C-alpha cells in the first residue's frame, strides 16, 4: 500500500513497469496484466485507457490487440505516470489536508512532509523506465 498515491496510480506504475520489462513492441491484453498484478481486469482496462489517452501506453484494437509502451522506456518518467493518473496536487498540498497549511501557518508535519515530498518528486522526475 502506498501512502501518497491512489490505487489507480499504484496499478498504473506497476502496469507500465511490467510493460517496460517485455521485449519492444510486445502487445499484452488487460487479462495478462490483470493476472500478473493480481487485480481485476476491468480496473486494468480503465487505468490503461487513461495512460493511452496521455500517450504513455499505446493500444491496438482487435483480436490480436493489446497494450504496449507508446514511447521508449528512457522517455517515460515515473512522474509522467503519476501526473496522468493522480495529478500533481499531492506535491503542492498539505499531506494532512489542512486548507490553511503554509510556510506561515504550518501544520504539525509541514516541514517534515515538505522534505519528503520534495525528495519524492525529485526521484519520480529523475527515474525513467529504462
Amino acid at each position: 500500500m502506498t501512502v501518497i498515491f491512489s490505487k489507480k496510480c499504484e496499478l498504473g506504475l506497476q502496469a507500465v513497469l511490467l510493460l517496460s520489462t517485455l521485449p519492444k513492441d510486445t502487445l499484452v491484453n488487460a487479462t495478462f496484466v490483470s493476472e500478473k498484478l493480481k487485480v481485476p481486469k476491468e480496473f486494468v482496462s480503465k487505468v490503461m485507457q487513461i495512460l493511452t489517452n496521455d500517450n504513455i501506453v499505446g493500444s491496438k484494437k482487435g483480436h490480436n490487440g493489446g497494450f504496449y509502451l507508446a514511447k521508449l522506456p528512457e522517455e517515460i518518467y515515473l512522474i509522467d505516470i503519476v501526473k496522468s493518473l493522480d495529478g500533481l496536487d499531492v506535491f503542492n498540498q498539505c499531506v494532512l489536508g489542512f486548507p490553511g497549511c503554509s510556510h506561515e501557518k504550518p501544520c504539525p508535519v509541514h516541514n517534515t512532509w515538505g522534505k519528503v515530498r520534495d525528495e519524492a518528486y525529485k526521484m519520480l522526475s529523475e527515474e525513467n523506465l529504462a
Side-chain angles (χ1 to χ4, degrees):
M1 180 181 86
T2 60
V3 175
I4 61 174
F5 302 129
S6 69
K7 283 291 193 190
K8 177 174 63 175
C9 188
E10 187 177 306
L11 170 61
L13 287 162
Q14 292 173 1
V16 174
L17 286 167
L18 173 64
L19 291 178
S20 75
T21 67
L22 303 173
K24 189 176 190 281
D25 298 325
T26 300
L27 290 172
V28 297
N29 60 28
T31 301
F32 174 85
V33 177
S34 171
E35 290 171 357
K36 288 287 187 186
L37 300 180
K38 299 180 181 3
V39 295
K41 183 179 116 176
E42 296 76 21
F43 191 31
V44 169
S45 295
K46 180 179 177 180
V47 169
M48 297 300 259
Q49 187 59 48
I50 295 167
L51 293 168
T52 299
N53 291 342
D54 285 338
N55 201 36
I56 294 169
V57 170
S59 68
K60 180 181 175 193
K61 296 186 189 271
H63 180 65
N64 294 320
F67 298 103
Y68 58 92
L69 288 182
K71 303 175 187 175
L72 295 172
E74 56 270 14
E75 296 174 334
I76 302 172
Y77 288 83
L78 298 179
I79 197 71
D80 299 330
I81 301 161
V82 171
K83 183 178 178 183
S84 175
L85 296 167
D86 275 359
L88 299 179
D89 286 346
V90 71
F91 298 103
N92 301 311
Q93 295 177 349
C94 177
V95 69
L96 299 178
F98 290 115
C101 180
S102 67
H103 291 298
E104 295 78 33
K105 290 184 174 183
C107 74
V109 297
H110 180 83
N111 294 326
T112 304
W113 169 243
K115 292 174 191 167
V116 173
R117 176 195 64 215
D118 293 346
E119 282 299 313
Y121 184 85
K122 181 179 182 223
M123 183 274 300
L124 293 166
S125 298
E126 292 174 351
E127 293 292 327
N128 61 44
L129 299 182

